[in-house]
Structures are given as structure tokens and as C-alpha cells.
Amino acid sequence: PARALRLPLLSGALRASRTVRSNEFVRIRPQGVASTMRITLLALLRACTAHGLALNRRQALGGSAAAALATGGPALAASKPIAVIGSGGRTGSLCVAACLKRGLAVKALSRSGAPPPGVDANSLLSIAACDVRDPSTINVAGSSAVIYAASGSKKGGSPHEVDNLGVVNAAKACVAAKVPRLVVISSTAVTRPQSLGYKFTDVYGRIMGEKKLGEDGVYATYAGSDLAYTIIRPGGLEEPKENVVQGPGALEISQGDALAGIISRKDLAEVAVEACSSPALKDATFELYYTKGAQPCEGKFKKLLADEAFPRLHGDSYAALFKGVRRDGTYDVPA
């Protein structure tokens, strides 16, 4: 049975402790500050390893380990926020909330510079104005990752300005600032202009074609770079009736833009935040939707639903779900 693991918090001058759940019990007895720090670091590293979390010595000293253990999510340096571009939108605001619930610092960037809707004030939250149509306003310096959740709208810019040029502007800003990871939220079927999903969605400002051009701009910007990008192509965004987090066990990932489905904005936001630090998703583009209800983008891909040779990825944890995702250019795209 799970037992308690008590770990002193370094940031609290070793005066406080936090209990987390683990299969291992470690009791730490103070033997001087230096000795206790060494023992604590070892305990933190062992505990995180047991939970399948990647953690280095600097992150342990920075105090992000406790947040990682508490959420089961990736440990990111507390001093470097995740920047969310489009934080004023429905998906972007949920990305901000997903960061905060993990104890991660987040910088909310939106055209208005207003607080994200539905998100309470938090010491980990900072807010700034950012209009992706103007590259000079995209300030992502010092970020651990950037999530691009903006999209064209009648008030916020056309698909050409936001889903295409804005994405490229953000990618260039990330490379210039040496941000380790850019996560772009795109859409399934962007490479399938004959599909019903493409035709139905593309009615507004030819948004699907603009999204594909935005993706192409990311690929070109990161060509030859040692920095990383991740492009998530979610299925239809189901809301508000079932806008809940079902978690990784309900999700499916495929690659090649052949299969699609539906997904809630909340589940999409969770995956976007997890993608910020996942080594498995480096330089990868993938489709994301609920396993239940998976369907082909076009009728000719229906056979893939029963083809065991076509990778359809699942997992009870995000790490397990992401395992098997291949880098762009290393997998076959169904024709």
C-alpha cells in the first residue's frame, strides 16, 4: 500500500514539510543544513524517479519537484514561466489554468492584456499585452515554453493574420529568444482539403489553408535549429456540454492526418501543457482526439481503423500516451 513520503521544503528554510503519496517511505533527520540538503535532494530525485518524472538537481533546488509530485506532471523550472499566447480565448485560458494547477508559473499573453477569463489572481500568473500581428509585441524572453492558442476571429484578426502569419511571428520570436519549446495548436484535416471537416471549417476566412501555411512556417523556422516545436492537431472541440478533463486514458494520438474525432478544450489544454516538456514530442506533429468516436478524415482512410499496422497510440498516463510519437519526416503519411 502507498505510504507517506515526508520531504522538507528547501524554499521554506527547512522549517516546513509536505506529505505526498509514494510506495517508498523516507524519513529525514536534520543533521545540519548542508547534510540535510544533500539528503533531501537524493530523496526528491528518488521519489520523482519512482513516479516516472524527469527531474534534475537544479529543478530540485528550485522547488518545482513538489509541484511535479503533487500533479504527476512534468517538472519545469519555477523561475521560467510558460507563455500562453491567446490566453484571452477559450482554449488559451484553459491552458493558463492547467499550468497553475500544476504549480507552474505562467505568462498570459493576449491582444487586450486583460486577465484570462475564469482564472483567479495567482502569484504564479503574470499578464501582458501581445498582438501576434505585430512581432514587436511578442515578448517570450525567459520562457520555458510557449503555447500558441490564438486563432482568427472577427474581433482579433483574420485567419491569415493569426493562424498563418501570427504563428510564424511567434515561432521566430521563440527562436530569437531561445525558448526551448513552442507548442502550436492547429487542427486535424488541415492537409486534407477534400475532407468534410476541412470544407466545413474552411468557410471562415479559409482558416484551414491558413493553419497549414502556419504549420509550414514553423517547420521552416525550426529547420536546422536545436530548439524544439510540437504541433497538436485536435479533433472537433466538443463544448460546452462535455467540456471536462477525461484524461490520457480516454485519448488517442495518430500521425499522418488520416484519423480524427472530437475532444474537449480542457483535455486539449492539459495535453498542450504536458507537451511543453515532453522529450517524446520534440519536433513532432500529431492528431489528438478521444478514442471513442475516432473516425477517418476521408472515407478512403476507414480501413486504417482496423489496420493494426497503423499506429494508434494510447496510454493511462501522458508519458505512456506520448510514447511512440515519431518525429516529423520519420513516418509514412497515408495517401
Side-chain angles (χ1 to χ4, degrees):
R3 289 171 288 181
L5 170 62
R6 301 188 65 84
L7 302 173
L9 294 181
L10 298 177
S11 59
L14 305 179
R15 290 177 297 179
S17 65
R18 176 175 295 173
T19 300
V20 297
R21 305 305 301 173
S22 173
N23 290 324
E24 178 183 11
F25 183 80
V26 178
R27 184 178 297 278
I28 300 173
R29 299 181 183 280
Q31 297 175 350
V33 173
S35 176
T36 302
M37 287 179 67
R38 286 194 296 270
I39 296 172
T40 300
L41 285 173
L42 288 172
L44 282 168
L45 293 170
R46 289 194 190 103
C48 286
T49 299
H51 282 257
L53 303 175
L55 183 69
N56 59 36
R57 183 175 179 273
R58 178 174 295 180
Q59 289 169 325
L61 286 170
S64 61
L69 285 170
T71 64
L76 294 175
S79 61
K80 291 188 175 183
I82 293 176
V84 178
I85 297 177
S87 62
R90 288 171 291 179
T91 301
S93 61
L94 293 172
C95 289
V96 171
C99 288
L100 293 175
K101 85 173 189 178
R102 288 166 168 76
L104 300 174
V106 58
K107 185 176 183 179
L109 301 176
S110 65
R111 189 169 48 86
S112 66
V119 178
D120 296 330
N122 191 302
S123 61
L124 293 172
L125 173 64
S126 60
I127 301 167
C130 169
D131 188 334
V132 296
R133 297 171 295 183
D134 180 359
S136 67
T137 69
I138 306 176
N139 182 7
V140 294
S143 300
S144 64
V146 170
I147 297 175
Y148 192 97
S151 190
S153 65
K154 293 181 179 179
K155 294 183 179 180
S158 69
H160 176 68
E161 294 172 315
V162 181
D163 297 85
N164 178 358
L165 300 183
V167 171
V168 178
N169 288 339
K172 291 180 178 179
C174 288
V175 171
K178 299 188 183 303
V179 176
R181 180 71 60 93
L182 168 64
V183 177
V184 176
I185 297 176
S186 183
S187 173
T188 53
V190 292
T191 69
R192 306 296 179 182
Q194 299 306 312
S195 68
L196 290 178
Y198 186 106
K199 293 178 179 179
F200 178 81
T201 309
D202 205 45
V203 171
Y204 171 63
R206 298 183 177 179
I207 190 170
M208 297 293 273
E210 298 294 350
K211 283 182 179 293
K212 181 58 174 66
L213 291 173
E215 289 186 5
D216 292 342
V218 171
Y219 301 145
T221 301
Y222 279 81
S225 173
D226 58 353
L227 301 171
Y229 70 83
T230 301
I231 296 178
I232 303 174
R233 293 172 173 168
L237 299 175
E238 183 180 39
E239 63 173 347
K241 183 176 63 174
E242 295 185 28
N243 193 20
V244 297
V245 176
Q246 295 189 36
L251 299 173
E252 177 173 302
I253 284 177
S254 61
Q255 293 179 278
D257 207 16
L259 301 182
I262 58 173
I263 185 174
S264 73
R265 291 183 187 271
K266 283 191 174 181
D267 265 315
L268 171 58
E270 296 289 317
V271 171
V273 174
E274 292 288 333
C276 288
S277 62
S278 171
L281 302 184
K282 175 180 171 62
D283 298 341
T285 301
F286 61 89
E287 290 74 60
L288 178 72
Y289 44 87
Y290 292 131
T291 305
K292 184 178 180 180
Q295 57 188 326
C297 286
E298 297 182 41
K300 63 182 179 180
F301 298 129
K302 186 176 181 180
K303 60 185 179 182
L304 296 178
L305 293 173
D307 187 352
E308 295 184 359
F310 182 76
R312 298 174 63 189
L313 308 179
H314 308 94
D316 292 332
S317 66
Y318 290 109
L321 176 66
F322 299 158
K323 186 178 180 181
V325 172
R326 301 182 65 177
R327 291 193 180 189
D328 291 333
T330 67
Y331 54 89
D332 295 327
V333 176

